[in-house]
Amino acid sequence: MTRLSGLKLIEEREGAGTPARKGDRVVYNARMFLNQGDEVPLNDIQANQLPKAMVRAVDGVTFIDHAIVLGRRQAIAGVEHALLGMKVGGYRKFRVSPHLAYRDKGLPAIIPPDAVVMVELWLREIVER
């Protein structure tokens, strides 16, 4: 992962195939934690509102199959940047500073303002153009 001020790579498993790049449509799963270790329940909240085809459960943990086009700002900046260069089956755990996450607004009742978040990210698929 290219170093970007505000992102700190903690752990990585490479995956296989061609690395994801700007313009690629990717499918990924993520888990998010506050800096103190508390999991942010975004997956559980979204699972109640999204089609069942987008929801996956692994070992009792709910995941959402997010599909975005890299470079179109369809995810927080920290996640989008971390996806660049990942290969299918790859995993990254990283710390995201507030300016690359939810800034000074946070997500009411879920993520406080100016929160540092830890993200676990799995790249599931790079969709052919």
Side-chain angles (χ1 to χ4, degrees), residues 13-21 24-30 56 65-68 70 79 82-92 120-127:
R13 287 189 298 271
E14 186 170 8
T18 305
R21 61 183 202 268
D24 286 343
R25 182 175 169 79
V26 299
V27 177
Y28 71 93
N29 298 131
R56 123 188 5 238
D65 287 343
H66 298 280
I68 66 168
L70 293 175
V79 166
L83 284 165
L84 292 169
M86 283 186 76
K87 297 177 182 178
V88 173
Y91 165 84
R92 285 183 175 163
E120 291 184 302
L121 193 63
W122 295 264
L123 181 59
R124 299 292 180 205
E125 183 179 1
I126 299 174
V127 180

Side-chain angles (χ1 to χ4, degrees), residues 23-44:
D24 286 343
R25 182 175 169 79
V26 299
V27 177
Y28 71 93
N29 298 131
R31 289 178 79 184
M32 196 173 294
F33 301 83
L34 297 176
N35 205 29
Q36 303 90 338
D38 297 329
E39 185 166 2
V40 176
L42 282 177
N43 288 333
D44 293 327

Side-chain angles (χ1 to χ4, degrees), residues 86-108:
M86 283 186 76
K87 297 177 182 178
V88 173
Y91 165 84
R92 285 183 175 163
K93 181 177 182 178
F94 53 98
R95 181 181 130 324
V96 184
S97 293
H99 74 281
L100 296 174
Y102 297 97
R103 300 187 169 269
D104 58 348
K105 298 209 182 329
L107 285 177

